[in-house]
Amino acid sequence: MRKVLLLHIIFLFSLQAAVAQLVFDKSTHNFGEINKEDKKYVDFTVTNAGKVAAEITKIEEPYGVDVKVTTKTIQPDSSVIIRIKYTPKRKGAYKADIPVWTSVQNHPITFTIEGIAKTADINESLECPDFEKQKKLEDLNTDITIKVIDNATKQPIPDALVEIIWDGLIYKELRTNRAGETNQTLKNDMYYIVASAKGFGSSEQAVEVHQDSLREIIFYLGEPSEELIIVEQVDTIVEPEIILAPEDTISTAAMPVGLYAENNIVFLIDASVSMKLEGRMDLLKAAMIELLNGLRSIDRLAIVTYASSVDVVLASQFVKDKAQITEIIQDLSAGGRTEGAQGLEKAYEIAHQNKLAEGNNLIIIATDGVFNLSKEDKANVEQNTSNGINVSVVGVKNEKWTEKSMLTIAELGNGSYLNIKSYKQAKETLLNEIKQKSLKK
């Protein structure tokens, strides 16, 4: 009885004689220091202490997390085990929230796992172990065939370039053979693949690779796409050629100090579950890494994410250790509901703490959905704009109907509304925006 009293009661639903009451043994687990050979999963037990059955309707899995359950129906006086595995790709501290939705409540149970990865293996499977048996080593990777086809003639395109992007960076560059094909063994994970050929344009898609996924991916090239038309509309800054003096150790090729003022940039990233779909997070990571490479040691950068909570994943700092910041960007994951207004408050706080008297103070909101602000929130944006903190908004593969709210924020924030729908745009958009905003008059 004493043990039962320690269980956390998370929901009580009552309707006449029917009662569904769920309790769980714990809601958080800290793995501590984790090495390669250590177990990286934990079991949470959820018990139905009520009189009606409850269904697990949805589990939101942040990137790097895999979840298995013994059953999705929790009968009265019965328990289920929710097994959660997190596979770190980088050394260092990690934390992940996993919302679990049930049929008996209108908000999720949120389980939290955290730890410190002492080692990391990019070839380790993300897949959570089964309850009955362990996966064989050969089940951790999947062989895929990528075909590139001329959309007009339906003939294969030889020597087409296939770029496989993983966590925002190009992982593999392949060429198709005479049959228009290329083969690759990939670790089971999420990828973003771009196929292109001279005279045929390009095509791209997000791909989840696992044992049950399609083993053949086909790209049709040869007709202009909506993405290509949009790319042509992106403004490009043309600047005079700058020959750096030998003593100039600050300028980058993209941003010479003689042309561009210092930057105080705060990224506000939508990390809700929808950003995991359609390769949105991969495109955003690619855009952020491209911008990072162009920034200088005199520029400051901070990263705030918002989903079920608001987290500062990179405290504002001068851009000196680009390798470390790249790893932080690659580790960004998506999962949870959206708390945009709270995230914007935190972004403003950081921007003001590091405000430049002369320079570019800019918050960049990156999202795929509507960013709703109350009347008070909008007044806050206007007030901060008058105090020198501007806001630009980046829509990542967002629907047309979401643009109105993004445009409103950008206008109130004296910034820009930008759009990323392709890998080419991802490589250009953010860097061009910072160059436009920091160009010396």
Side-chain angles (χ1 to χ4, degrees):
M1 177 63 72
R2 187 182 301 272
K3 182 178 180 181
V4 172
L5 290 175
L6 293 175
L7 298 177
H8 305 280
I9 300 178
I10 64 170
F11 184 79
L12 180 60
F13 175 78
S14 178
L15 180 61
Q16 298 177 356
V19 178
Q21 179 178 318
L22 302 181
V23 294
F24 52 90
D25 59 342
K26 57 183 178 289
S27 62
T28 64
H29 181 79
N30 192 324
F31 287 97
E33 294 186 349
I34 291 286
N35 292 291
K36 181 178 180 180
E37 65 277 6
D38 294 333
K39 185 178 79 171
K40 300 180 181 68
Y41 64 89
V42 60
D43 290 342
F44 295 88
T45 302
V46 179
T47 301
N48 186 352
K51 298 180 180 179
V52 298
E55 295 284 340
I56 296 175
T57 56
K58 182 173 69 171
I59 300 176
E60 298 176 9
E61 299 177 350
Y63 187 73
V65 169
D66 190 42
V67 181
K68 283 188 169 61
V69 295
T70 49
T71 178
K72 289 189 175 181
T73 302
I74 315 174
Q75 297 292 348
D77 297 321
S78 299
S79 299
V80 300
I81 296 174
I82 299 177
R83 177 168 291 177
I84 300 175
K85 180 188 178 188
Y86 179 79
T87 306
K89 288 186 179 178
R90 311 282 179 268
K91 296 179 183 179
Y94 63 85
K95 182 178 180 180
D97 293 327
I98 301 91
V100 178
W101 297 81
T102 67
S103 60
V104 296
Q105 62 186 45
N106 57 9
H107 59 85
I109 309 166
T110 299
F111 296 105
T112 301
I113 56 175
E114 58 185 318
I116 301 173
K118 305 299 289 185
T119 61
D121 180 5
I122 64 171
N123 294 313
E124 182 177 356
S125 173
L126 299 180
E127 192 168 0
C128 185
D130 290 333
F131 292 99
E132 296 180 356
K133 61 181 180 179
Q134 299 290 323
K135 286 288 183 182
K136 297 179 182 178
L137 183 62
E138 57 266 26
D139 291 337
L140 306 183
N141 299 306
T142 300
D143 296 325
I144 64 169
T145 298
I146 300 171
K147 294 183 176 181
V148 182
I149 304 295
D150 181 343
N151 198 33
T153 66
K154 301 301 183 286
Q155 295 299 307
I157 301 176
D159 201 38
L161 174 64
V162 176
E163 297 169 293
I164 301 176
I165 298 152
W166 190 22
D167 275 349
L169 291 174
I170 294 178
Y171 174 59
K172 295 285 184 182
E173 287 186 335
L174 309 171
R175 291 282 180 178
T176 56
N177 56 23
R178 291 182 179 180
E181 299 180 0
T182 184
N183 301 295
Q184 182 65 42
T185 300
L186 293 174
K187 174 188 170 185
N188 294 342
D189 206 343
M190 292 292 300
Y191 299 87
Y192 198 82
I193 303 179
V194 182
S196 60
K198 188 174 181 179
F200 291 90
S202 65
S203 180
E204 52 199 76
Q205 58 181 290
V207 176
E208 182 176 4
V209 175
H210 54 82
Q211 285 298 301
D212 298 324
S213 64
L214 293 174
R215 303 299 180 89
E216 186 177 272
I217 302 166
I218 301 177
F219 289 89
Y220 291 95
L221 306 183
E223 292 184 356
S225 66
E226 182 182 356
E227 288 77 11
L228 291 175
I229 295 171
I230 294 174
V231 168
E232 292 171 358
Q233 297 173 350
V234 175
D235 294 330
T236 301
I237 293 177
V238 179
E239 66 236 6
E241 181 180 0
I242 299 293
I243 300 176
L244 303 181
E247 65 273 13
D248 183 359
T249 59
I250 297 176
S251 295
T252 61
M255 298 188 68
V257 292
L259 286 180
Y260 299 99
E262 297 175 40
N263 291 283
N264 169 31
I265 303 166
V266 181
F267 272 109
L268 180 57
I269 307 299
D270 178 355
S272 61
V273 69
S274 61
M275 283 292 287
K276 188 167 70 170
L277 306 176
E278 298 184 34
R280 294 184 178 105
M281 190 59 80
D282 284 308
L283 286 179
L284 179 57
K285 289 178 181 180
M288 294 174 69
I289 292 171
E290 191 70 18
L291 170 60
L292 175 66
N293 290 334
L295 294 178
R296 307 151 300 181
S297 59
I298 59 173
D299 299 316
R300 296 189 73 99
L301 181 66
I303 303 174
V304 179
T305 62
Y306 65 94
S308 299
S309 61
V310 175
D311 298 295
V312 180
V313 298
L314 177 68
S316 182
Q317 59 184 257
F318 289 109
V319 179
K320 293 181 178 179
D321 191 344
K322 291 187 177 182
Q324 181 188 42
I325 297 174
T326 297
E327 288 189 0
I328 290 171
I329 292 172
Q330 289 185 290
D331 280 342
L332 292 173
S333 58
R337 59 186 186 277
T338 304
E339 300 289 353
Q342 293 91 326
L344 186 56
E345 273 297 317
K346 176 57 71 173
Y348 274 131
E349 177 186 324
I350 295 171
H352 277 291
Q353 289 171 353
N354 303 282
K355 183 180 175 184
L356 297 170
E358 295 184 6
N360 176 36
N361 297 286
L362 183 66
I363 294 172
I364 300 176
I365 301 173
T367 180
D368 70 311
V370 174
F371 198 100
N372 289 318
L373 294 180
S374 66
K375 222 180 250 189
E376 292 78 11
D377 294 329
K378 291 178 181 178
N380 187 33
V381 172
E382 291 180 313
Q383 179 63 41
N384 280 284
T385 301
S386 66
N387 290 332
I389 306 295
N390 298 326
V391 179
S392 289
V393 185
V394 180
V396 186
K397 284 194 170 183
N398 56 304
E399 300 290 338
K400 189 76 175 175
W401 62 272
T402 66
E403 291 183 353
K404 184 178 179 180
S405 68
M406 298 185 189
L407 283 165
T408 298
I409 299 170
E411 290 170 0
L412 293 173
N414 192 33
S416 307
Y417 166 66
L418 310 165
N419 193 263
I420 295 176
K421 289 186 177 293
S422 68
Y423 182 61
K424 179 176 174 60
Q425 284 180 301
K427 300 282 280 185
E428 299 173 349
T429 301
L430 291 184
L431 183 58
N432 281 344
E433 173 67 1
I434 296 302
K435 291 170 73 173
Q436 287 177 353
K437 291 294 188 290
S438 61
L439 185 65
K440 292 181 178 179
K441 306 302 182 186

